[in-house]
Amino acid sequence: MSKEATPSVETAATGAPGPGSIASFIDHTLLKPEAGEADILKVCAEAAEYHFKSVCVNPVWVKTVKKALKGSGVLTCSVVGFPLGATPTDVKAFEARGAVLDGADEVDMVINIAAARAGDKGALVEDITSVAEAVHASGAILKVIIETALLDDPQKVLACEAAVEAGADFVKTSTGFNGGGATAEDIALMRRTVGPGLGVKASGGVRSLEDAQAMIAAGATRIGASSGIAIVKGEQGSSSY
């Protein structure tokens, strides 16, 4: 497991971080398929200005983001099997290797959601393990998106257990593309399941400082949001992600 996901780094904060410290929890996110280079560079400039944890983009933009963020201290994050998770495991692993080679420090993968709904833990472990091996080979971090809006509580627990068994560094609530989003109840359930050793990322519908604080209080150690600037300013964001 990467040191980036250990409690000493990711869960050191206690209480409710305010605008001055909340930025370090945020993956500043732009995953719209229509986003162009100017949009991506704008997000990178914002992340460098506000000192967000990372910029999260689709794989085609990883090289652009890595170059734009050089020297900023902001990480480059990308996604795999996104947003449906219905990609064959070997393709997800190939995609992950490519993202890391292009410069991704972190990779957020979507699980095989059908396997989770069917209670097939073995398929989930196999899916996540293959991507984890590809990501960890280059020292990057793997976050596992379980898409909570499509699962009941036992299925969420199963998916989180599979992520732990497969060696993931984080579990994450949502893509933001399949309805629903992060809830404090889901974050608390995920934290109880994975224990203190893994990160928990809340994503989908986190649009305000109060939203982010509630997620962190429930056990989140990272926030995925396209409303990062509104969050750090104490305003209300309008994005669906």
Side-chain angles (χ1 to χ4, degrees), residues 30 32 34-46 57 61:
L30 181 55
K32 293 180 179 179
E34 71 271 23
E37 184 176 17
D39 303 310
I40 298 297
L41 293 175
K42 180 176 182 288
V43 166
C44 290
E46 292 169 348
V57 294
W61 296 113

Side-chain angles (χ1 to χ4, degrees), residues 183-227:
T183 68
E185 291 78 15
D186 280 340
I187 292 296
L189 176 65
M190 293 163 72
R191 171 56 66 202
R192 288 195 302 271
T193 303
V194 303
L198 263 67
V200 177
K201 179 174 173 179
S203 62
V206 183
R207 303 186 186 95
S208 69
L209 176 61
E210 292 75 17
D211 290 341
Q213 289 172 330
M215 298 303 166
I216 293 167
T221 52
R222 194 77 69 88
I223 303 293
S226 54
S227 298

Side-chain angles (χ1 to χ4, degrees), residues 57-59 78-85 87-89 91-100 106-111 131 135 142-143 145 175:
V57 294
N58 285 304
S78 193
V79 292
V80 165
F82 192 89
L84 302 179
T87 307
T89 296
V91 177
K92 290 183 185 179
F94 178 85
E95 189 176 15
R97 282 191 292 270
V100 173
E106 301 185 340
V107 171
D108 293 16
M109 71 166 286
V110 186
I111 62 166
V131 179
V135 170
L142 178 65
K143 308 191 202 88
I145 306 170
T175 63

